[in-house]
Amino acid sequence: MESSISRTELNCISLADPDIQKSVALLKQACLDSGFFYVVDHGISQESMDEVFAQSKKFFDLPHSEKMKLLRDEKNRGYTPMLDEILDPENQVNGDYKEGYYIGVEVPEDNPEANKPFYGPNQWPTEEVLPKWRKVMEQYHREALRVAKSVARIIALALDLDVDFFDRPEMLAKPIAILRLLHYEGGQKTGRVSNPAKGVYGAGAHSDYGLITLLATDDVVGLQICKDRNAQPQIWEYVAPLKGGFIVNLGDMLERWSNCIFRSTLHRVVLDGQERYSIAYFVEPSHDCVVECLPTCKSETNPPKFPPITCSAYLSQRYKDTHADLSSYSDGKA
């Protein structure tokens, strides 16, 4: 454990602040500096947040065989076991010492949209096993999307775009929005304390794929960010949990959109053996949205750095690169 690592200071943005220009200025500075900031006064009650964490714990407390019945499918919906994901293959051994659960936008199987890679029906524990679990998660999914759209409006203004730029149909009107419950087992269960020198992490170093991520955590410190991925050696700083608030970070798509003006920052989870729960909400635009340099982010002296790409193609490749092949679970869902 790298105990000498310091904590970083992040800007805090209140969604209840009537001074929108103040929020824009705080967000813009955060996006230029680290790509991470706090969001508070978002309208989701503490009671609701606590209930989502409680229900998440109930799922992860189930026997392994019960969880494997809900193993993630080809749509990336459902349970991801310990070591399923390896986010930093160059520096990690084995994989991430975490388990998770993916919940996307619910699209019925008979809907033509369900044929697209990230749309479709979710997998749900039965009411007998976890009563009201689905109801709690679907409500949180809706509320988190509302918060994400509010943050996206501030981002639009910070990029000198119309305030409703990200509200358009091809953007967040039909998003690929993914709720992911995460559980890092404590050292008493696995014996695994994070050790970067030996390639052992709760979650390996990575940047997120999409537009923005809203992260709610318990009070266990573990998230670290590296503001300059090219520095040698890399300097890592802890991000303090914020009860009732979100830690928000920008994803790679927004970095592409902004022509690298805004930052998608490397981050990882390093734990001292304590059990940790977090809830990530990944927000991406619709499948067919073309991610290309924004008009306000290019000039003759700063031409586009990336070719255009559809959201669906980009995400599909990133998931394939970081998750175990489903065929490796030879026992199926038993």
Side-chain angles (χ1 to χ4, degrees), residues 120-182:
N122 285 297
Q123 299 198 72
W124 300 106
T126 64
E127 282 285 317
E128 291 75 25
V129 174
L130 290 176
K132 74 175 186 174
W133 200 85
R134 175 174 179 172
K135 181 181 177 183
V136 169
M137 296 305 163
E138 288 190 321
Q139 179 182 343
Y140 183 80
H141 196 294
R142 288 191 297 271
E143 292 196 32
L145 182 58
R146 173 186 54 76
V147 175
K149 288 179 176 180
S150 296
V151 174
R153 291 182 190 111
I154 302 174
I155 290 172
L157 293 174
L159 288 168
D160 297 320
L161 301 166
D162 292 338
V163 66
D164 59 354
F165 178 83
F166 292 109
D167 290 331
R168 293 182 295 169
E170 70 272 23
M171 299 281 188
L172 297 184
K174 294 177 69 176
I176 302 171
I178 299 166
L179 173 61
R180 194 175 188 198
L181 312 174
L182 294 165

Side-chain angles (χ1 to χ4, degrees), residues 187-200:
Q188 71 276 12
K189 286 189 178 179
T190 63
R192 287 290 180 179
V193 172
S194 297
N195 187 338
K198 294 184 177 179
V200 178

Side-chain angles (χ1 to χ4, degrees), residues 12-14 17-28 154:
C12 188
I13 295 162
S14 167
D17 193 332
D19 186 351
I20 189 67
Q21 289 310 317
K22 176 186 170 187
S23 297
V24 169
L26 285 169
L27 181 142
K28 190 169 188 175
I154 302 174

Side-chain angles (χ1 to χ4, degrees), residues 13-314:
I13 295 162
S14 167
L15 295 186
D17 193 332
D19 186 351
I20 189 67
Q21 289 310 317
K22 176 186 170 187
S23 297
V24 169
L26 285 169
L27 181 142
K28 190 169 188 175
Q29 185 55 49
C31 294
L32 294 170
D33 175 43
S34 67
F36 273 76
F37 50 93
Y38 294 119
V39 164
V40 296
D41 303 323
H42 44 67
I44 303 178
S45 71
Q46 188 61 52
E47 184 181 23
S48 295
M49 303 275 279
D50 291 344
E51 181 65 10
V52 178
F53 275 95
Q55 293 294 331
S56 173
K57 185 178 188 305
K58 284 183 178 181
F59 174 81
F60 290 120
D61 281 347
L62 292 174
H64 181 70
S65 58
E66 196 69 36
K67 291 183 285 192
M68 286 299 284
K69 292 176 183 177
L70 295 160
L71 178 68
R72 67 178 171 87
D73 56 22
E74 69 283 351
K75 298 276 191 178
N76 281 297
R77 305 293 180 88
Y79 176 61
T80 53
M82 198 72 62
L83 306 181
D84 178 84
E85 196 171 13
I86 182 162
L87 290 166
D88 185 13
E90 289 185 15
N91 297 301
Q92 267 180 286
V93 295
N94 299 327
D96 288 1
Y97 280 90
K98 70 175 190 296
E99 55 183 344
Y101 200 95
Y102 284 114
I103 302 167
V105 176
E106 184 74 23
V107 178
E109 210 161 358
D110 57 0
N111 187 315
E113 293 279 288
N115 294 321
K116 295 180 177 178
F118 295 95
Y119 288 167
N122 285 297
Q123 299 198 72
W124 300 106
T126 64
E127 282 285 317
E128 291 75 25
V129 174
L130 290 176
K132 74 175 186 174
W133 200 85
R134 175 174 179 172
K135 181 181 177 183
V136 169
M137 296 305 163
E138 288 190 321
Q139 179 182 343
Y140 183 80
H141 196 294
R142 288 191 297 271
E143 292 196 32
L145 182 58
R146 173 186 54 76
V147 175
K149 288 179 176 180
S150 296
V151 174
R153 291 182 190 111
I154 302 174
I155 290 172
L157 293 174
L159 288 168
D160 297 320
L161 301 166
D162 292 338
V163 66
D164 59 354
F165 178 83
F166 292 109
D167 290 331
R168 293 182 295 169
E170 70 272 23
M171 299 281 188
L172 297 184
K174 294 177 69 176
I176 302 171
I178 299 166
L179 173 61
R180 194 175 188 198
L181 312 174
L182 294 165
H183 173 227
Y184 301 83
E185 284 193 347
Q188 71 276 12
K189 286 189 178 179
T190 63
R192 287 290 180 179
V193 172
S194 297
N195 187 338
K198 294 184 177 179
V200 178
Y201 300 89
H206 65 286
S207 54
D208 289 347
Y209 313 152
L211 182 63
I212 56 172
T213 303
L214 309 181
L215 181 71
T217 75
D218 61 14
D219 58 2
V220 176
V221 177
L223 176 65
Q224 296 179 344
I225 66 173
C226 173
K227 293 177 183 176
D228 184 359
R229 68 176 67 205
N230 298 315
Q232 292 295 333
Q234 289 180 333
I235 297 170
W236 291 90
E237 300 172 273
Y238 279 108
V239 174
L242 183 64
K243 186 174 179 65
F246 286 111
I247 300 166
V248 182
N249 64 283
L250 310 184
D252 297 338
M253 275 190 207
L254 191 52
E255 185 171 273
R256 289 176 76 107
W257 252 319
S258 71
N259 213 20
C260 295
I261 292 172
F262 280 3
R263 309 272 302 280
S264 176
T265 299
L266 274 185
H267 52 286
R268 66 189 189 185
V269 175
V270 175
L271 295 164
D272 63 0
Q274 291 186 80
E275 192 173 28
R276 179 177 183 263
Y277 292 87
S278 64
I279 298 169
Y281 191 74
F282 303 104
V283 183
E284 285 93 38
S286 73
H287 278 79
D288 303 323
C289 180
V290 177
V291 180
E292 59 184 331
C293 185
L294 295 166
T296 56
C297 298
K298 60 185 177 182
S299 65
E300 285 186 16
T301 56
N302 185 29
K305 295 177 174 63
F306 305 98
I309 189 170
T310 65
C311 176
S312 181
Y314 184 75

